[in-house]
Each structure stands twice: as structure tokens, then as C-alpha cells.
Amino acid sequence: MLTFVVALSAVIVVGGITHVVRLFVRDHRIETRGRDIQVVVEAVRYLSSNDTGAATIWFRLSWQEGGATRRVEGKDTIPGFYSSRVQKGCVVGIKYVDDKNFHFNFTS
């Protein structure tokens, strides 16, 4: 029984570390390979918030590219300070690599 607990603990720790490393690699890829795009917030829905005031939201964004309208949607946690910039109809910047790898760029 003790070996099972130790093995399970090791798997949980390794899995947690792997997840964090994967997030850092993803963010680095977006920062280095991503292109800056101005998008329109088509829809946004508040999902939850945490103790620091950050809001988890679902969103759908669109922009014009090559004569066609591109759309992406996703879920992200944004600082409460920027929540007023991510409202329906607002224009906001993103760093975009592909439909799975992008994030809000509030510095622009």
C-alpha cells in the first residue's frame, strides 16, 4: 500500500510540473512567434472570479484577414483591471500564433 501511495504521489508531482512547463513553453512560443492583431470582441461571458479580482471569461473574437472574417473563441483569466477593455464591441489586441495559441495583449 505504501508503494502505491508513493507512486501515485510521484505521478501527481510529475504531472503538475509537466503541466506548468507546458504552459511556460506555450507562452514563450506565443511571445516569440505571435503576431499582433487588433480584434473585435463579438461576445463575452463572465464565468467566475478569484480573490485577486481576476475574471475568467469565455469570449469570441473576430478580425478581417485576406478578405475574410476570421474568428476564434476561448476561455481565459484576465486581470480585473482590464475587464472593462474586453466587452462586446470593444477592440483589443492579441498575440496570435494559431487558433489554439493566442493571448490578450493589453500592453498595446
Side-chain angles (χ1 to χ4, degrees), residues 1 14 27 38-39 45 48 54 68 73 80-82 90-91 97-98 101:
M1 181 69 170
V14 169
D27 286 347
Q38 294 295 308
V39 298
R45 187 171 56 236
S48 66
E73 60 182 60
F81 183 76
Y82 295 115
C90 291
V91 175
V97 176
D98 57 40
N101 295 293

Side-chain angles (χ1 to χ4, degrees), residues 2-106:
L2 182 62
T3 35
F4 174 74
V5 171
V6 169
L8 181 61
S9 299
V11 167
I12 291 171
V13 167
V14 169
I17 292 171
T18 302
H19 178 69
V20 169
V21 168
R22 197 176 292 153
L23 290 175
F24 275 105
V25 168
R26 176 183 176 264
D27 286 347
H28 178 71
R29 182 179 326 121
I30 292 170
E31 283 300 317
T32 57
R33 297 182 187 167
R35 56 192 171 106
D36 293 316
I37 299 175
Q38 294 295 308
V39 298
V40 175
V41 179
E42 287 188 345
V44 63
R45 187 171 56 236
Y46 169 85
L47 300 175
S48 66
S49 64
N50 62 25
D51 294 338
T52 65
T56 301
I57 58 171
W58 169 88
F59 54 86
R60 184 173 55 244
L61 311 171
S62 68
W63 70 97
Q64 293 294 317
E65 184 174 65
T69 301
R70 300 280 317 264
R71 288 186 175 83
V72 293
E73 60 182 60
K75 185 170 66 168
D76 201 358
T77 301
I78 59 171
F81 183 76
Y82 295 115
S83 62
S84 64
R85 292 178 63 183
V86 186
Q87 300 295 323
K88 184 177 180 176
C90 291
V91 175
V92 67
I94 64 170
K95 278 278 203 186
Y96 178 85
V97 176
D98 57 40
D99 288 355
K100 300 280 184 192
N101 295 293
F102 62 93
H103 65 74
F104 289 101
N105 186 11
F106 293 112

